[in-house]
Amino acid sequence: MKPTVSLLSASSYELESLQIALEQLLEPLGGMANIVKAGDRVLLKPNLLTGSRPTKECTTRPEIIYCVAKMVQAVGGKPFLGDSPAFGTAKGVAKANGLIAIAEELNIPIVEFHGQRYQTESDFQHLRLSKEAMDADVVINLPKVKSHVQLTVTMGVKNLFGCVPGKMKAWWHLEAGKDVGKFARMLVATAEAIAPSLTIMDGIIGHEGNGPSNGEPKYIGMLAASTDVFALDRVVIEVLGVNPELVPTLRVGKYQNLNQIAIAGTSIQNLQIHDWQLPTTIIPIDFGFPRVVKSTFRHLYIKFIKEPMATYAKS
């Protein structure tokens, strides 16, 4: 059977209307009860790239996380929040993005990811992935629609790269970055290994231009969801009006033709925008060894010095 991608026109992050919209979005997929069973430990995997630019719309909106967490709890699931930001800790970046109050209100743990090697059936036989993600009963992927200076556009598949713990991401840039195709295949293999049960795309306001964090907010007016993250990315790129051949993860993906995918809800034509801004320049994925070392030290400084000092100063 064809995978189903559900699309919905949505214009507001106001909680009541957003909750209704998300429930409507999931109806063609059987609702949250078809994804999560009572007692399931459910990882909510947002994009927590950074805590330094909350008005740039480069991270998943807290309202999306809040509403999805409530939906999980309503069917008896036990949600927890996790990510592996480029710099700092999940809790530190979550705090900067206004997620601590949500976590406390709903009693949702925020976990740090720890790596373990897993054998896969891909060309990358052993991938170091988050044990917390792999051990979860259900993974709900909550990406943000963004342009990206290295990968053109990033969506659901790239968001799962956050399940590669710590600075292993930087080392992948060093290892596979000289070959964009190899790097894209690694991202696809990671997504296949994590195998999210559901992906919900935060596309009400996206982030265009020189992303992942240096671009600008862009209103799209869309929510999208699927149990197949690869099909979802293929459909969303059509909404953006971007040639899928420009996106490395789509070039190596399994859905080259939209006829392979069933689309429910709002049509692509009714959502499509025609002025989405791609990066002004595509830069190499490759991280040289000095950059990896510098990035690692920056991460450790934020994790062990900057974040603890900020907490101490407010205590």
Side-chain angles (χ1 to χ4, degrees):
M1 292 180 62
K2 293 180 179 180
T4 297
V5 173
S6 178
L7 299 175
L8 185 71
S9 176
S11 60
S12 173
Y13 290 108
E14 189 274 323
L15 287 178
E16 185 175 352
S17 61
L18 181 61
Q19 192 80 60
I20 294 170
L22 286 167
E23 290 171 358
Q24 184 178 348
L25 177 72
L26 295 189
E27 281 180 8
L29 308 177
M32 188 62 78
N34 192 45
I35 307 295
V36 176
K37 305 306 178 186
D40 280 349
R41 294 181 63 257
V42 181
L43 169 63
L44 305 182
K45 168 59 183 78
N47 185 316
L48 295 183
L49 172 74
T50 178
S52 62
R53 295 173 180 170
T55 62
K56 288 285 191 176
E57 295 289 349
C58 57
T59 59
T60 307
R61 272 290 194 110
E63 295 92 338
I64 296 277
I65 299 167
Y66 179 86
C67 289
V68 172
K70 290 198 71 173
M71 294 170 75
V72 169
Q73 290 178 333
V75 296
K78 300 176 180 178
F80 64 100
L81 187 67
D83 198 3
S84 181
F87 299 104
T89 64
K91 286 186 178 179
V93 176
K95 182 178 181 180
N97 280 285
L99 291 172
I100 297 299
I102 290 174
E104 291 177 348
E105 177 185 342
L106 300 181
N107 194 28
I108 303 173
I110 300 174
V111 304
E112 307 294 336
F113 284 168
H114 302 90
Q116 181 172 312
R117 293 206 174 272
Y118 292 89
Q119 188 170 358
T120 73
E121 296 180 0
S122 69
D123 294 339
F124 307 89
Q125 294 186 0
H126 292 87
L127 289 172
R128 190 170 180 82
L129 303 170
S130 161
K131 186 176 185 298
E132 291 73 17
M134 296 296 284
D135 287 350
D137 297 308
V138 174
V139 174
I140 298 182
N141 187 24
L142 300 172
K144 187 81 167 180
V145 182
K146 299 196 291 184
S147 288
H148 195 286
V149 294
Q150 293 174 314
L151 294 162
T152 311
V153 179
T154 57
M155 298 165 287
V157 169
K158 175 59 168 62
N159 193 52
L160 293 166
F161 193 41
C163 293
V164 174
K167 299 314 294 180
M168 188 64 197
K169 292 189 290 295
W171 287 100
W172 264 120
H173 278 271
L174 177 66
E175 168 69 20
K178 291 181 175 62
D179 181 343
V180 175
K182 181 178 180 181
F183 192 82
R185 291 192 299 274
M186 178 274 296
L187 293 176
V188 167
T190 296
E192 289 174 337
I194 299 297
S197 300
L198 176 66
T199 299
I200 299 174
M201 190 85 72
D202 179 4
I204 296 176
I205 301 176
H207 184 83
E208 66 176 2
N210 294 319
S213 64
N214 289 325
E216 297 295 333
K218 170 69 175 181
Y219 178 77
I220 305 171
M222 172 196 70
L223 290 170
S226 182
T227 57
D228 188 318
V229 64
F230 304 102
L232 182 64
D233 280 6
R234 181 64 184 86
V235 169
V236 169
I237 206 70
E238 291 292 323
V239 173
L240 300 182
V242 174
N243 183 351
E245 284 297 312
L246 297 176
V247 183
T249 52
L250 291 178
R251 283 204 303 269
V252 301
K254 57 184 176 179
Y255 299 111
Q256 303 299 319
N257 194 320
L258 280 178
N259 292 333
Q260 299 172 276
I261 303 167
I263 299 171
T266 309
S267 69
I268 290 175
Q269 290 73 24
N270 286 340
L271 290 171
Q272 195 166 41
I273 60 176
H274 301 282
D275 58 351
W276 180 261
Q277 297 298 309
L278 295 175
T280 54
T281 303
I282 297 296
I283 66 174
I285 292 174
D286 181 32
F287 285 5
F289 183 75
R291 183 175 176 181
V292 172
V293 173
K294 182 179 178 181
S295 174
T296 300
F297 274 103
R298 182 183 173 192
H299 171 72
L300 294 174
Y301 166 74
I302 293 173
K303 180 177 180 179
F304 292 111
I305 299 176
K306 185 177 179 179
E307 287 183 355
M309 286 183 67
T311 301
Y312 176 78
K314 294 178 181 179
S315 62

